[in-house]
Amino acid sequence: MLLSALPRLVAGRAALRRRLRDALARLFGVDARRIVLTDTGRTALTLLLRAHGVGAGDEVIVPAYTCVVVPNQIPALGASVRWLDVSADTLGFDWNLLDAAIGPATRAVPATRAVIIPHNFGPACRVPDALRARHPQVVFLDDAAHGFASQHDGQWLGTYHDGAFFSFEYSKNLSGGIGGFVLLPEGLAVDEPSAEVGVLDQLRLLATLTGHLLAARCAQAGRVWLALARRVGLIYRSSDAEVAGGVAHPPRALPTLAAALLLPQLAALPAVLRHKQRLAERYRAALSAVPGIRQWPGAAGTHWVRYPFALPQPVADKAALARRLSAASGLAVGVWFDDVIHPAGSFRHGYVIGSAPEGERLAATVLNLPMNVAVACDARLDARLARLTAALTAYLKETAA
Ligand SMILES: Cc1ncc(COP(=O)(O)O)c(C=O)c1O
């Protein structure tokens, strides 16, 4: 797919972006002016906050179980971050806690102006209408970075609150290497970023994406490629200033390569969704056989970005356990989120340890499995899942002893 995307680049930046915008608008059933393409989900968040006029003196409620690049975008607008714990029952907000956390419209300084609604791992949830009606001064924005093409009661995630931001980064449901977009609510407008991703960064993107695609099919080949790319400075990744320093990402437009890669994935979306649904069912059935493992219901219409499961007790070194389970099973077991503010070691934005016990427990117990089109639902998968459940059972026995 990567190779076939390259000739498509001759259509040019503007045409490819226009086609992608139109295809997304058709999918969501909205006017194409409500779709604004960006280089990342985090840029899309900034554009959405700006479109709503969020700025100095405003407070934004952020789930205390998210990626650092989400809160990073808020102080740069003059607004402040307020952490709110998530519920281990849903991986998202408990609506009663959210209701109580929203400051009163007048007396509070700063006043809550926006809430970022998590849809961690992909399942779409909906803020109760009564809660929204009680806080008319607040906008509810979907962090749909994990939930592209998920539905809630037959409605696309992103279409029923006050706007949404999506990500097309390597690890997401559809991938352009990097990329994202805003789905604006009716009546709001915002310009596409005028800055472009530079040529060197586009080369890094190509090299890094190639490594990830190789790794999805042959872990060893992917590792070798990525090690070589790292050596020559061709890995594309978030800057240290963003991850460790909490600095906002500068808004840029969607790279042309990303648009060329995303168009065929979008055209194949129904088949991709069917495949991932089957994969999730296989994972669910296999993990159900391991006593003590927690899973979350995915309503019909859930497009999982990765398939999460939780261990009964916190794990001191989740990365080591993920490596052990990956080696035993041949499936790429993942660790995110490995902290309330992922990745561990990220800028804290004032987070006080202990203030989000459920988020902290999820960070210490949740692992995930790949929802990857390259993972076929076949006998090989059954064998890998049998090895995974055996390795998990052995781990649980050791830790219970
Ligand atoms: C929950 C969540 N929201 C938003 C983002 C930001 O997406 P992007 O990397 O495209 O900026 C991410 C991360 O990668 C994420 O995990």
Side-chain angles (χ1 to χ4, degrees), residues 229-264:
R230 197 165 293 116
R231 185 161 296 176
V232 293
L234 280 182
I235 290 291
Y236 186 95
R237 61 180 188 88
S238 293
S239 71
D240 293 342
E242 284 188 51
V243 178
V247 169
H249 179 80
R252 299 175 304 180
L254 182 85
T256 318
L257 174 64
L261 284 166
L262 287 162
L263 277 163

Side-chain angles (χ1 to χ4, degrees), residues 40-42 66-67 69-70 120 143 145-146 165 167-169 172 179 337:
T40 52
R42 59 202 90 167
T66 194
C67 181
V69 301
V70 173
N120 285 319
D143 180 344
H146 294 185
F165 57 101
S167 170
F168 290 136
E169 185 257 1
K172 303 304 189 296
F337 296 133

Side-chain angles (χ1 to χ4, degrees), residues 8-377:
R8 225 172 288 126
L9 292 174
V10 297
R13 194 154 80 189
L16 286 170
R17 284 187 194 147
R18 193 177 52 248
R19 271 187 229 160
L20 182 60
R21 206 167 34 238
D22 289 347
L24 288 167
R26 273 197 303 280
L27 175 73
F28 288 106
V30 301
D31 188 302
R33 280 170 298 196
R34 288 175 56 191
I35 307 275
V36 181
L37 301 175
T38 56
D39 65 331
T40 52
R42 59 202 90 167
T43 291
L45 166 61
T46 289
L47 298 193
L48 186 55
L49 290 168
R50 273 196 206 146
H52 278 292
V54 174
D58 292 335
E59 173 184 271
V60 180
I61 292 182
V62 179
Y65 185 62
T66 194
C67 181
V68 66
V69 301
V70 173
N72 280 357
Q73 301 304 108
I74 294 164
L77 299 171
S80 57
V81 172
R82 164 117 177 255
W83 295 107
L84 180 65
D85 202 358
V86 291
S87 158
D89 291 338
T90 61
L91 300 164
F93 282 143
D94 172 315
W95 302 131
N96 291 325
L97 282 186
L98 175 61
D99 201 10
I102 294 175
T106 46
R107 274 169 293 121
V109 179
T112 308
R113 258 293 277 138
V115 177
I116 295 180
I117 303 294
H119 302 274
N120 285 319
F121 293 98
C125 61
R126 185 175 177 139
V127 181
D129 290 343
L131 193 162
R132 290 180 75 188
R134 265 195 300 282
H135 306 285
Q137 76 286 7
V138 175
V139 289
F140 296 86
L141 312 176
D142 289 311
D143 180 344
H146 294 185
F148 177 78
S150 274
Q151 295 196 348
H152 183 275
D153 280 346
Q155 278 186 291
W156 293 113
L157 170 59
T159 57
Y160 46 78
H161 289 141
D162 300 305
F165 57 101
F166 294 80
S167 170
F168 290 136
E169 185 257 1
Y170 302 116
S171 58
K172 303 304 189 296
N173 314 57
L174 299 192
S175 181
I178 59 170
F181 71 99
V182 193
L183 175 46
L184 290 165
E186 248 168 288
L188 283 193
V190 69
D191 287 335
E192 218 172 63
S194 52
E196 296 289 341
V197 174
V199 174
L200 183 57
D201 269 347
Q202 296 219 34
L203 275 178
R204 289 193 174 111
L205 194 57
L206 185 57
T208 311
L209 185 59
T210 305
H212 286 293
L213 289 173
L214 280 174
R217 282 157 180 81
C218 171
Q220 185 63 15
R223 257 200 304 276
V224 170
W225 178 280
L226 288 170
L228 286 174
R230 197 165 293 116
R231 185 161 296 176
V232 293
L234 280 182
I235 290 291
Y236 186 95
R237 61 180 188 88
S238 293
S239 71
D240 293 342
E242 284 188 51
V243 178
V247 169
H249 179 80
R252 299 175 304 180
L254 182 85
T256 318
L257 174 64
L261 284 166
L262 287 162
L263 277 163
Q265 291 175 62
L266 207 47
L269 187 64
V272 168
L273 290 175
R274 274 196 303 277
H275 174 75
K276 293 193 181 182
Q277 204 77 47
R278 278 204 308 277
L279 202 50
E281 282 159 18
R282 298 285 264 270
Y283 289 161
R284 183 178 300 284
L287 291 168
S288 302
V290 186
I293 294 294
R294 178 171 202 176
Q295 300 185 66
W296 286 269
T302 298
H303 187 184
W304 297 99
V305 66
R306 294 192 62 97
Y307 187 81
F309 63 95
L311 296 149
Q313 295 302 329
V315 183
D317 187 347
K318 257 194 351 175
L321 178 59
R323 279 195 300 275
R324 172 176 158 180
L325 295 174
S326 301
S329 66
L331 284 162
V333 178
V335 294
W336 36 277
F337 296 133
D338 64 1
D339 196 353
V340 162
I341 308 154
H342 178 89
S346 295
F347 193 77
R348 308 301 281 169
H349 289 282
Y351 177 74
V352 176
I353 292 177
S355 61
E358 302 247 331
E360 288 182 13
R361 190 173 172 88
L362 287 172
T365 54
V366 172
L367 293 169
N368 60 64
L369 293 171
M371 294 299 296
N372 192 319
V373 284
V375 180
C377 291

